[in-house]
Amino acid sequence: MQYEKERAAYIHAFIRTKQAMLREQLEGVAGDEMELKETFWDHVTVNFSNSHEIQETISSIKQQAELLHERERSGALIKKQMRTLRRLADSPYFGRIDLKIEGEDQAEPIYIGLASLMDENDSDFLIYDWRAPISSVYYDSEIGPVTYTAPAGTVKGVLENKRQYVFRRGELKAMFDTSLAIGDERLKESLSEGASRYMKTIVSTIQKEQNQAIRDEKSRYLVIQGVAGSGKTSVAMQRAAYLLFRHRSHIEANQLVLFSPNELFSSYVSTVLPELGEENMKQLTFRGYLYKRLGRVYEVEDGFAQLEYILGAAKGELYRTRMRSIAVKSGRAFKEKLDAFIEKLKEGGLFFKDIRFRKKTLIPKEDIETYFYCLDHGIPLQNRLRLTGEWLLKEIAKQEGKERSEAWVEKARELLDNETLLRTHWEVEKATANEEGFGTQERQEQLIAKQLVREAFEPLKKRIKALAFIDSEKLYEQFLFDDCHRDTEGFAAVALWSSSEISKKRMPYEDATPFLYLQDRIKGLQVDRSIKHVFIDEAQDYTHFQLVYMQMLYPAAHFTIVGDVSQTLYFHGPNQTGLIGGDEADVKYMAFYKSYRSTEAIIRFAREMLPNPEEIIPFERPGDVPVLVKGTSRQALIKPVKEWVEQMGERGYRTVAVIVKTAKEANDVHAQLSEWLDIQLVAKDHHEYKEGAVVLPVYLAKGIEFDAVGVFDASASHYASSQERYHLYTACTRAMDHLTVFAAGEWSPWLKPIPSHLYEEKQALS
């Protein structure tokens, strides 16, 4: 311990010295940069008298610009080094392995931290980056013979010791020797720090199976099924950091994209990559993508609105139709039918729109259909549409010439403002400069008319180039009423409902992806080949159709897909995480069964709600058993919940969540609690929340953890269906240290079978 403390003190002093040196260097570089900017033109000879002098001037400017750019680049590099040192100052390393390489006389101590640190001569590593090949031994291996893969090939050796460290503000506080991967003591130390509004890195406590997922480079599709609190989201983020480190010569952060379940989650994970010294990757939500593509024309329903409807609607005929709509349109069979329908369009059945201008039909849809299907059927559908578009543009050009003599053109010319007239005058003068008869009023009016008509036709031409002459709505409606659905029970009502909604410019969530897919298969998919890796979190809440569609959007990308079937929120049927395209050889499936987030007592309680509770292994972290509080009504629960929030604050918990089922309930509960408490309401468009007490619906709590959770109204009338079982389980597993479940009346049927020794029951006092 004495040796380790002395070494830690040396490293701390070395970091401080290096920080001081870098600050001095940065001041010098910043001074040079400022001087270069101030005197830039003093060192440039500007002369445009002849071509030689012009070239000399350009060369002089380029030389000064390159010098300035070099200073800026040097400054950016020093700042990056300083950020790394700031991260290392508080906790320079968290692990050590004593590794004796085959052929060497003695073991070398290898210290592992968030980033690499070289000695004063830049010749030896004082600390190795956790992503370095040799660091994998720390995560994967036990004491004894080991091998690891380095850039030069496979390295063999003997692992003689493994040690873990706990630092506080740069000072070594504790260390543990272990023969296994990561000892429980170090993990407990990390988990005891409590929750925050941002996700913490797990590099100091990565488990063996997590490390294998992080470092996997062979799989085109890595699919991880992980129980609540198993670290699957953290693994996805550390995997992104590893890929950026491992392939830094040809992968940049903007070539990685993360699909988050909501904006709140995006904020929650936003600090992970910067803490690891990497820039943040792109973050999207699927609902945001749908809105971007369809939002200009349609009122696009998102998944949360769909969920709110299902959980709050009366269970009548419309509800049953909607549930059938969601179930059918989410699966593989629906996509296969749509593919078959698209294939038939090569021979006939494609719908077109009239080409209209100023309420006149210039080219009727029948003529477009005739032209399209007269083209060689051996030409691919998209190419035939492009040829049809080119034909339409030629026809429009003819109509454009005829339109110049129409009365509206003369009126438009008379209404031109002075600025437009002046601009048009100069454009006309330029166009007629070399023409005989220039300057005549008649000629200028002709050219003004030509320009006015050209500008008026421009939006129409853009729509034709975008293939907007295809009637996508009617085409999708035709597919919905196609005979291929005749064996699907109740689908006629589904087709009527969907086509009615879309005709009113309302796009149901379950229709948005098939509708886009149909458009893209016909017009040409809008792919992004620059993206090298896609991360999809909470994958169980995506339909099969959506997962396959995202795969098509990024054809050059590898995919990391993580989720948990037991936390499925939506009503689209069974888990879809495995139903991605591609050969089985391209797909690797992994399962994480151990839960680390919550105390052992919380997990033993929560897992009893599931069909196979034994599949979830709790981490042995002590804590109080969950508390069940029963009241006579929902109104009678408000006061006990208010008192509970206050108690949690008094116990020192920084993040306290009251989790309800829907956004409507969140509004109601928040309105009542906020009369007494400083408590925040979290809505679906919120990007972050403050530490303290919050009220939020369960679907916004996905992927986030809180020190203490109070589940509001887990009664039989509220969490009764088989799907709501998973909502209740998800809400309970957001808690790290404390869980209280409130109910108005009888308990949910998913709580009743839980053995009584796993919780403490209380009666709410009115």
Side-chain angles (χ1 to χ4, degrees):
M1 187 65 177
Q2 183 60 31
Y3 166 78
E4 291 286 11
K5 283 196 170 185
E6 289 176 359
R7 185 184 191 276
Y10 165 74
I11 293 293
H12 188 74
F14 180 81
I15 289 172
R16 294 302 185 197
T17 301
K18 196 161 186 176
Q19 285 178 318
M21 290 172 57
L22 287 174
R23 276 194 294 270
E24 188 176 332
Q25 289 180 30
L26 185 61
E27 288 174 3
V29 170
D32 291 347
E33 184 181 331
M34 181 63 69
E35 184 181 352
L36 275 170
K37 288 178 178 178
E38 291 174 349
T39 63
F40 187 93
W41 294 105
D42 295 345
H43 301 279
V44 174
T45 303
V46 180
N47 191 335
F48 297 105
S49 58
N50 56 56
S51 60
H52 175 73
E53 294 297 341
I54 291 172
Q55 189 61 40
E56 285 292 320
T57 298
I58 293 172
S59 177
S60 179
I61 293 172
K62 186 178 179 182
Q63 184 178 5
Q64 282 298 107
E66 287 176 350
L67 192 59
L68 178 59
H69 181 61
E70 189 276 328
R71 291 292 186 275
E72 291 173 340
R73 189 167 56 243
S74 297
L77 182 60
I78 292 172
K79 288 176 183 177
K80 185 176 182 180
Q81 291 175 322
M82 291 179 71
R83 287 194 296 270
T84 299
L85 291 175
R86 275 198 299 271
R87 295 200 313 275
L88 293 178
D90 280 346
S91 181
Y93 46 87
F94 51 79
R96 164 184 162 175
I97 53 175
D98 293 346
L99 184 62
K100 182 180 178 183
I101 302 297
E102 192 176 67
E104 295 186 358
D105 296 333
Q106 59 184 21
E108 179 186 358
I110 306 293
Y111 288 83
I112 299 165
L114 282 177
S116 298
L117 181 67
M118 304 291 288
D119 64 11
E120 60 270 18
N121 299 318
D122 285 339
S123 57
D124 291 317
F125 282 96
L126 297 174
I127 304 171
Y128 282 83
D129 192 294
W130 66 277
R131 296 165 290 186
I134 198 170
S135 301
S136 64
V137 176
Y138 173 75
Y139 297 113
D140 291 344
S141 304
E142 300 180 14
I143 301 299
V146 297
T147 60
Y148 70 92
T149 303
T154 301
V155 179
K156 295 181 180 180
V158 176
L159 180 59
E160 295 185 353
N161 189 36
K162 185 183 295 185
R163 183 168 290 168
Q164 299 156 48
Y165 304 92
V166 177
F167 280 85
R168 286 288 181 272
R169 297 181 180 177
E171 184 180 353
L172 179 60
K173 291 295 185 183
M175 67 183 192
F176 314 99
D177 281 352
T178 178
S179 62
L180 303 175
I182 302 299
D184 285 354
E185 291 302 319
R186 182 66 185 88
L187 193 48
K188 287 176 184 176
E189 176 75 23
S190 175
L191 293 171
S192 68
E193 294 172 1
S196 74
R197 59 197 181 110
Y198 296 113
M199 176 177 280
K200 295 175 290 189
T201 63
I202 63 165
V203 294
S204 62
T205 57
I206 292 170
Q207 304 297 293
K208 182 176 180 178
E209 71 277 9
Q210 295 172 336
N211 188 53
Q212 291 171 353
I214 289 169
R215 294 174 186 262
D216 178 83
E217 297 182 50
K218 296 179 181 179
S219 309
R220 175 77 189 278
Y221 305 99
L222 177 63
V223 182
I224 300 173
Q225 154 61 34
V227 302
S230 59
K232 55 188 177 295
T233 299
S234 295
V235 164
M237 299 303 294
Q238 320 298 326
R239 178 166 166 75
Y242 172 79
L243 292 170
L244 289 170
F245 175 84
R246 180 74 174 83
H247 304 285
R248 55 189 177 275
S249 61
H250 57 277
I251 293 183
E252 296 180 358
N254 61 8
Q255 294 177 300
L256 275 59
V257 61
L258 168 66
F259 275 90
S260 301
N262 53 64
E263 284 79 5
L264 184 63
F265 180 90
S266 297
S267 171
Y268 181 63
V269 301
S270 64
T271 60
V272 175
L273 288 178
E275 281 183 15
L276 297 173
E278 305 293 349
E279 293 182 17
N280 257 326
M281 56 182 156
K282 293 181 180 178
Q283 292 197 44
L284 304 174
T285 61
F286 193 66
R287 74 187 187 108
Y289 174 80
L290 294 178
Y291 183 80
K292 181 180 178 182
R293 291 288 309 276
L294 297 170
R296 291 182 180 179
V297 178
Y298 300 96
E299 180 186 337
V300 184
E301 182 187 47
D302 59 43
F304 299 147
Q306 183 197 77
L307 196 56
E308 286 281 331
Y309 170 80
I310 294 170
L311 295 174
K315 306 299 189 285
E317 187 58 39
L318 178 59
Y319 174 85
R320 288 189 286 274
T321 296
R322 187 75 196 273
M323 294 301 289
R324 279 194 292 267
S325 175
I326 293 167
V328 171
K329 294 170 186 172
S330 302
R332 183 192 296 269
F334 191 73
K335 179 184 175 297
E336 290 174 348
K337 289 178 180 180
L338 187 51
D339 285 331
F341 176 79
I342 293 168
E343 191 67 23
K344 290 191 295 184
L345 295 177
K346 294 178 180 178
E347 304 300 324
L350 199 57
F351 291 101
F352 299 93
K353 296 178 182 178
D354 294 331
I355 302 298
R356 295 177 60 79
F357 178 77
R358 297 183 66 83
K359 300 182 180 181
K360 292 188 300 184
T361 298
L362 302 183
I363 305 172
K365 56 191 174 186
E366 293 81 9
D367 289 0
I368 303 174
E369 183 179 2
T370 300
Y371 183 90
F372 176 82
Y373 282 110
C374 282
L375 293 170
D376 184 354
H377 287 204
I379 301 173
L381 199 67
Q382 293 170 13
N383 290 349
R384 275 194 277 168
L385 283 170
R386 279 192 284 272
L387 290 172
T388 303
E390 291 172 6
W391 169 71
L392 285 172
L393 289 173
K394 291 176 182 176
E395 293 298 307
I396 288 298
K398 298 174 186 176
Q399 297 287 347
E400 192 176 329
K402 298 176 184 177
E403 198 69 23
R404 294 169 195 160
S405 59
E406 294 293 326
W408 71 266
V409 180
E410 176 62 24
K411 290 180 180 178
R413 190 186 67 78
E414 292 173 357
L415 293 173
L416 288 176
D417 56 58
N418 291 334
E419 183 180 345
T420 306
L421 275 172
L422 184 61
R423 187 184 73 247
T424 306
H425 170 78
W426 286 113
E427 289 175 0
V428 168
E429 184 173 312
K430 182 179 178 182
T432 59
N434 298 320
E435 293 183 15
E436 186 177 347
F438 159 71
T440 64
Q441 182 70 21
E442 183 180 354
R443 179 63 175 133
Q444 289 190 45
E445 288 177 358
Q446 289 174 355
L447 289 175
I448 289 174
K450 181 180 179 180
Q451 182 170 321
L452 286 169
V453 173
R454 183 172 66 246
E455 289 176 356
F457 268 76
E458 194 58 36
L460 180 59
K461 292 176 184 177
K462 285 183 178 178
R463 291 197 296 273
I464 291 172
K465 290 174 183 176
L467 306 183
F469 54 87
I470 299 168
D471 194 335
S472 299
E473 280 188 21
K474 192 171 182 180
L475 196 58
Y476 187 64
E477 179 184 324
Q478 178 63 33
F479 165 65
L480 292 177
F481 287 101
D482 193 76
D483 287 344
C484 66
H485 301 293
R486 63 181 178 273
D487 297 329
T488 304
E489 182 183 354
F491 195 80
V494 169
L496 281 169
W497 178 81
S498 289
S499 59
S500 173
E501 288 294 293
I502 294 172
S503 69
K504 297 170 186 172
K505 302 304 178 187
R506 296 198 295 255
M507 181 63 66
Y509 185 60
E510 66 267 27
D511 285 294
T513 302
F515 184 83
L516 273 179
Y517 177 80
L518 175 62
Q519 277 197 137
D520 289 345
R521 280 289 311 276
I522 293 170
K523 297 181 180 181
L525 192 64
Q526 300 179 24
V527 302
D528 188 344
R529 296 185 180 277
S530 69
I531 299 300
K532 303 298 184 185
H533 209 110
V534 175
F535 297 83
I536 302 174
D537 203 353
E538 303 294 349
Q540 76 281 350
D541 287 332
Y542 291 86
T543 69
H544 166 73
F545 211 140
Q546 290 168 343
L547 286 172
V548 173
Y549 183 67
M550 282 193 281
Q551 180 186 336
M552 294 170 59
L553 291 177
Y554 304 102
H558 285 64
F559 283 74
T560 298
I561 302 171
V562 302
D564 178 16
V565 297
S566 298
Q567 297 183 68
T568 302
L569 287 180
Y570 294 97
F571 290 69
H572 52 58
N575 172 51
Q576 309 290 327
T577 54
L579 301 179
I580 57 176
D583 298 331
E584 278 296 313
D586 293 336
V587 185
K588 181 177 181 178
Y589 296 99
M590 297 186 71
F592 296 167
Y593 296 108
K594 197 163 189 176
S595 179
Y596 301 98
R597 173 191 297 131
S598 309
T599 62
E600 182 177 5
I602 291 174
I603 290 300
R604 289 194 181 279
F605 170 85
R607 71 179 184 175
E608 291 297 324
M609 301 179 210
L610 302 179
N612 301 298
E614 67 282 354
E615 291 183 355
I616 301 175
I617 304 169
F619 178 67
E620 296 177 0
R621 185 163 69 90
D624 298 333
V625 296
V627 179
L628 272 58
V629 179
K630 183 185 288 187
T632 56
S633 67
R634 290 171 64 84
Q635 187 59 40
L637 292 178
I638 296 299
K639 185 178 178 182
V641 170
K642 172 249 184 188
E643 292 172 349
W644 173 83
V645 171
E646 291 173 335
Q647 290 169 7
M648 295 303 103
E650 291 168 1
R651 289 174 63 167
Y653 291 133
R654 293 185 302 166
T655 56
V656 178
V658 177
I659 299 180
V660 301
K661 196 166 77 166
T662 66
K664 182 178 182 301
E665 289 179 20
N667 284 321
D668 294 341
V669 172
H670 176 263
Q672 297 183 71
L673 291 178
S674 60
E675 293 181 13
W676 295 295
L677 301 170
D678 179 13
I679 189 166
Q680 182 185 2
L681 174 66
V682 178
K684 68 180 180 181
D685 293 322
H686 282 201
H687 290 267
E688 62 179 338
Y689 67 92
K690 302 172 185 175
E691 288 185 352
V694 298
V695 180
L696 73 171
V698 62
Y699 53 76
L700 291 183
K702 290 292 291 290
I704 303 176
E705 60 191 20
F706 305 91
D707 292 325
V709 166
V711 180
F712 187 81
D713 196 10
S715 60
S717 62
H718 220 50
Y719 288 95
S721 72
S722 58
Q723 191 63 40
E724 288 165 346
R725 160 201 287 196
Y726 301 114
H727 294 200
L728 185 54
Y729 169 78
T730 300
C732 291
T733 54
R734 300 308 92 203
M736 285 187 66
D737 295 301
H738 179 91
L739 172 65
T740 293
V741 182
F742 299 87
E746 287 300 311
W747 292 108
S748 163
W750 310 115
L751 293 176
K752 286 183 177 180
I754 299 177
S756 59
H757 69 276
L758 295 178
Y759 60 86
E760 176 187 355
E761 188 166 7
K762 295 181 180 180
Q763 193 72 27
L765 299 176
S766 58

